[in-house]
């Protein structure tokens, strides 16, 4: 992965517009949480291979970035994205890493289901 290039990511996002695609979205602070306050809870979310039709989408921010996708019946967004790649399988892979390089958020888009 490489640091996000906002214009390049936007161009790749647009290639998924008006198509049914598969989304992988996860967030975590779980194993990476570096707090010792028992009143703070670890949180996370995970969804994989949700088939959605992307009407439009946009990357915003100055880094870390936010990507929002408008769907037929709602929205999906991920915030805190720092890195990306468009792999040889036609998948847009985006991730947000903390200052120690650990994964905090991932948003991936593909025209085929993820393995």
């Amino acid at each position: 992965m490489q640091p996000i290039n906002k214009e390049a990511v936007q161009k790749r996002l647009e290639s998924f517009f008006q198509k049914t695609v598969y989304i992988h979205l996860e967030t975590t602070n779980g194993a990476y949480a570096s707090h010792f306050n028992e009143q703070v809870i670890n949180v996370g979310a995970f969804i994989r291979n949700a088939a959605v039709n992307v009407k439009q989408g946009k990357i915003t921010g100055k880094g870390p970035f936010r990507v929002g996708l408008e769907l037929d019946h709602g929205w999906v967004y991920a915030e805190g994205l720092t890195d990306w790649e468009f792999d040889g399988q036609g998948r847009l892979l985006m991730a947000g890493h903390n200052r120690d390089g650990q994964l905090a958020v991932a948003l991936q888009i593909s025209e085929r289901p993820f393995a």
Side-chain angles (χ1 to χ4, degrees):
M1 296 194 114
Q2 58 191 348
I4 284 181
N5 173 311
K6 193 172 175 180
E7 293 76 22
V9 169
Q10 182 64 45
K11 182 178 177 181
R12 294 299 183 178
L13 285 172
E14 291 170 7
S15 74
F16 296 110
F17 291 2
Q18 305 308 318
K19 294 181 182 176
T20 297
V21 297
Y22 295 88
I23 299 290
H24 171 84
L25 174 64
E26 69 178 284
T27 64
T28 183
N29 75 348
Y32 308 139
S34 59
H35 57 76
F36 299 98
N37 181 343
E38 60 189 41
Q39 294 180 343
V40 176
I41 61 169
N42 290 331
V43 297
F46 183 91
I47 186 168
R48 187 161 182 88
N49 287 327
V52 298
N53 182 53
V54 177
K55 293 174 69 174
Q56 66 174 330
K58 187 169 184 178
I59 182 168
T60 62
K62 296 181 181 182
F65 297 91
R66 174 179 172 166
V67 169
L69 303 173
E70 183 182 6
L71 312 176
D72 282 339
H73 302 287
W75 287 84
V76 168
Y77 80 90
E79 193 163 354
L81 298 165
T82 57
D83 302 289
W84 81 293
E85 73 178 75
F86 191 72
D87 71 2
Q89 298 178 46
R91 302 180 304 186
L92 176 57
L93 311 175
M94 298 168 284
H97 296 97
N98 67 18
R99 63 181 151 253
D100 296 324
Q102 298 164 317
L103 182 67
V105 62
L107 175 60
Q108 302 174 352
I109 308 168
S110 175
E111 290 185 39
R112 293 184 308 276
F114 293 96

